[in-house]
Amino acid sequence: MSIMSHEKAYNVTMLDSTQLRVVLPKKSNGQDCLEQVCSAIGVLEKEYFGLQYIGKSGEPLWLNARNPIKEQLGKGTHTLYFKVKFFIKPHKIIQPSTRLGTYDVVN
């Protein structure tokens, strides 16, 4: 897949350590990226998940959903990490794809 000049590719490490490549317009915000990742894996209950990146000091930081990605990550190649942001008991999850995607990997 070739990337247009107005696009940026991000590598996302999933819960099971597989990689997902996401291509978005350069002006996209964190929510746009999370939406595309969740759509690719069939997760509808997006509110339990988030994307992290490694900050300049080596600390994990949550990608802010409202802010442009490029303002948060800066230039260069960055890996994002798809993470469970809010733990919820399995019986309260409505969608089977969310349960399978989360608890099969965590357990």
Side-chain angles (χ1 to χ4, degrees):
M1 170 193 323
S2 63
I3 300 173
M4 307 296 279
S5 62
H6 64 279
E7 295 176 321
K8 173 96 172 134
Y10 300 96
N11 292 317
V12 181
T13 300
M14 305 305 291
L15 294 172
D16 63 358
S17 298
T18 60
Q19 296 288 309
L20 176 68
R21 183 179 164 126
V22 176
V23 178
L24 297 165
K26 287 184 177 178
K27 295 182 179 183
S28 295
N29 61 28
Q31 186 65 36
D32 297 329
C33 190
L34 182 61
E35 294 275 341
Q36 189 164 340
V37 170
C38 288
S39 176
I41 62 173
V43 169
L44 300 176
E45 296 170 290
K46 303 171 195 97
E47 61 272 15
Y48 304 128
F49 301 95
L51 296 168
Q52 283 188 331
Y53 64 98
I54 303 301
K56 293 178 183 175
S57 301
E59 75 281 11
L61 300 169
W62 289 106
L63 191 66
N64 186 305
R66 292 182 298 260
N67 295 344
I69 298 170
K70 67 180 182 177
E71 289 179 11
Q72 298 177 70
L73 301 182
K75 295 185 179 189
T77 304
H78 294 279
T79 297
L80 297 171
Y81 301 89
F82 183 71
K83 298 282 190 171
V84 176
K85 197 167 189 177
F86 300 105
F87 183 80
I88 188 160
K89 294 181 181 181
H91 68 278
K92 292 191 176 190
I93 294 176
I94 297 168
Q95 295 294 320
S97 61
T98 304
R99 191 176 306 112
L100 289 172
T102 306
Y103 292 97
D104 285 352
V105 174
V106 174
N107 292 331

